[in-house]
Amino acid sequence: MKNRLEMLKEKVLNGYQIYKKEALFLAEQSLEELCKAADEIRRAFCGNAFDLCTIINGKSGKCSENCKYCAQSSFYQTHVESYPLLGTEELVQQAEYNSQRGVPRYSIVTSGKKLNSEEVEQVCVSIRQIKKSVNISVCVSFGLLEEEDFRKIKEAGAERVHNNLETSEVYFPKVCTTHTWQDKIRALKNARAAGMSVCSGGIMGLGETMEDRIDLALTLQNLGVNSVPINMLNPIPGTPYEKNPKLTEEDMRRIIAVFRFILPKSFIRLAGGRGLMEDQGRNCFRSGANAAITGDMLTTAGITIRRDMEMLKELGYQVVKV
């Protein structure tokens, strides 16, 4: 007789969307059985396709927001380098570097609540040059912009907007008070209204509960988000979360697997903090994850593109643009 975990897996494979009580049940099941079932769901809906992207810190430090995890916030004493928006030449060079190594996506990420109008115009020039010179998809993470700004960015050639919700609506005020969770929802909707796809996920290890994580995944399900970054907190000295305990590989595998049940068709992306895992995420890629950020993160070292490509080949994945 099939157990409840197996029955839920088969229901998801047949198009069922699980609800919160069922997700909480899944989170308490045997890790290996849960991860095995999640990976079966991943294979059924996504095959061996793997979405790989790189990011560049296009503008660093002096951020006006007080997100407690962030090294770039002006509220905290950290040792992050600060600089204004990078010029077109440097952004194009990095795009070329990534494209030559087989990475299909390149994301420009900037610090601050949002780019101002002059910065939007400047980065649109850079995006146009990237698209003219390099065969790579451009994604952007420019903060809480209005629909009009996103339209300009789309016309310049960018395809996807990234803006993490970070955690549940209930827990978010404990993480940041200079902007709201609803501000982020509005920015995602502005991007969608401008005709862009969206990428949104969260950070695990902020002090949130499993219920908070599930609430986040259910929100992303309701929003129809197809690209879902899962970050593991890297506690940065000088930030309020510098003493937060690091999550384990087992914690991350469980989170990934539950997210896969809730978001069966999405590309669940291991993002920041992957380098803290001894196996660099290998077991998470067998537990339902099928996307990653490769190369360096914003303010911390990542994993080289070459090493990631070798690992993904060993695991039977095919890096494609999705």
Side-chain angles (χ1 to χ4, degrees):
M1 184 175 178
K2 294 177 181 177
N3 61 30
R4 190 180 177 194
L5 172 59
E6 283 291 310
M7 288 190 289
L8 283 173
K9 178 194 75 176
E10 292 196 1
K11 289 174 74 173
V12 170
L13 289 173
N14 287 312
Y16 177 75
Q17 290 189 340
I18 68 171
Y19 55 90
K20 184 173 177 178
K21 186 176 180 180
E22 291 169 326
L24 288 167
F25 163 81
L26 289 169
E28 296 178 349
Q29 301 313 295
S30 159
L31 179 63
E32 297 306 323
E33 291 181 14
L34 174 66
C35 292
K36 180 176 180 292
D39 206 42
E40 289 179 36
I41 294 170
R42 185 271 307 169
R43 286 197 302 272
F45 287 105
C46 305
N48 65 348
F50 196 96
D51 190 16
L52 196 65
C53 70
T54 55
I55 59 177
I56 183 170
N57 198 1
K59 176 186 175 185
S60 182
K62 297 183 180 178
C63 181
S64 62
E65 307 307 286
N66 67 354
C67 307
K68 292 180 180 178
Y69 54 81
C70 188
Q72 300 193 63
S73 172
S74 59
F75 284 76
Y76 316 125
Q77 297 298 315
T78 61
H79 299 287
V80 69
E81 181 183 6
S82 295
Y83 51 81
L85 191 61
L86 295 178
T88 296
E89 183 178 356
E90 188 165 355
L91 291 174
V92 172
Q93 285 178 351
Q94 193 63 33
E96 289 175 338
Y97 175 89
N98 293 313
S99 178
Q100 289 167 2
R101 284 154 182 79
V103 179
R105 289 191 179 277
Y106 172 64
S107 183
I108 305 168
V109 184
T110 56
S111 67
K113 187 171 187 176
K114 64 178 181 179
L115 294 186
N116 62 39
S117 57
E118 290 182 2
E119 290 170 327
V120 169
E121 296 298 333
Q122 178 184 336
V123 82
C124 282
V125 171
S126 299
I127 293 169
R128 288 190 188 96
Q129 190 59 45
I130 291 169
K131 296 303 293 182
K132 181 179 178 181
S133 307
V134 187
N135 181 24
I136 199 165
S137 294
V138 177
C139 308
V140 301
S141 186
F142 294 159
L144 307 176
L145 294 177
E146 300 299 325
E147 181 182 338
E148 179 183 355
D149 291 321
F150 284 130
R151 287 193 181 278
K152 292 178 182 178
I153 291 162
K154 181 179 187 294
E155 289 170 4
E159 300 175 8
R160 179 180 284 176
V161 170
H162 166 264
N163 195 317
N164 274 345
L165 293 178
E166 310 304 3
T167 188
S168 70
E169 182 176 15
V170 170
Y171 195 71
F172 187 86
K174 297 181 180 179
V175 177
C176 176
T177 58
T178 49
H179 60 269
T180 69
W181 192 85
Q182 285 297 334
D183 289 335
K184 287 178 167 286
I185 293 285
R186 182 169 175 269
L188 290 172
K189 290 182 176 180
N190 285 342
R192 276 258 177 84
M196 303 185 75
S197 66
V198 296
C199 172
S200 186
I203 303 175
M204 309 298 138
L206 304 177
E208 78 287 348
T209 63
M210 182 58 79
E211 183 176 2
D212 288 312
R213 297 163 185 165
I214 288 169
D215 284 342
L216 170 61
L218 290 170
T219 297
L220 297 170
Q221 179 197 76
N222 291 334
L223 290 171
V225 177
N226 189 48
S227 174
V228 180
I230 303 294
N231 298 268
M232 181 170 78
L233 178 70
N234 185 354
I236 302 295
T239 66
Y241 289 158
E242 65 177 333
K243 297 189 184 301
N244 277 32
K246 293 179 184 177
L247 298 186
T248 65
E249 177 190 308
E250 288 74 21
D251 291 330
M252 289 299 290
R253 289 180 67 200
R254 187 175 297 279
I255 293 165
I256 292 289
V258 172
F259 267 64
R260 174 56 65 191
F261 267 84
I262 297 171
L263 298 156
K265 298 179 182 179
S266 294
F267 282 80
I268 298 176
R269 185 182 311 276
L270 283 189
R274 179 161 66 97
L276 299 174
M277 300 184 204
E278 189 173 340
D279 72 348
Q280 299 180 339
R282 180 182 292 264
N283 282 323
C284 286
F285 297 138
R286 291 170 169 157
S287 303
N290 61 340
I293 299 176
T294 188
D296 287 343
M297 300 295 112
L298 296 179
T299 59
T300 57
I303 300 163
T304 67
I305 296 171
R306 180 183 60 81
R307 288 172 69 183
D308 274 341
M309 288 294 192
E310 290 173 354
M311 175 171 61
L312 295 175
K313 185 177 180 180
E314 290 172 12
L315 292 173
Y317 280 109
Q318 182 178 2
V319 175
V320 294
K321 178 192 169 183
V322 293

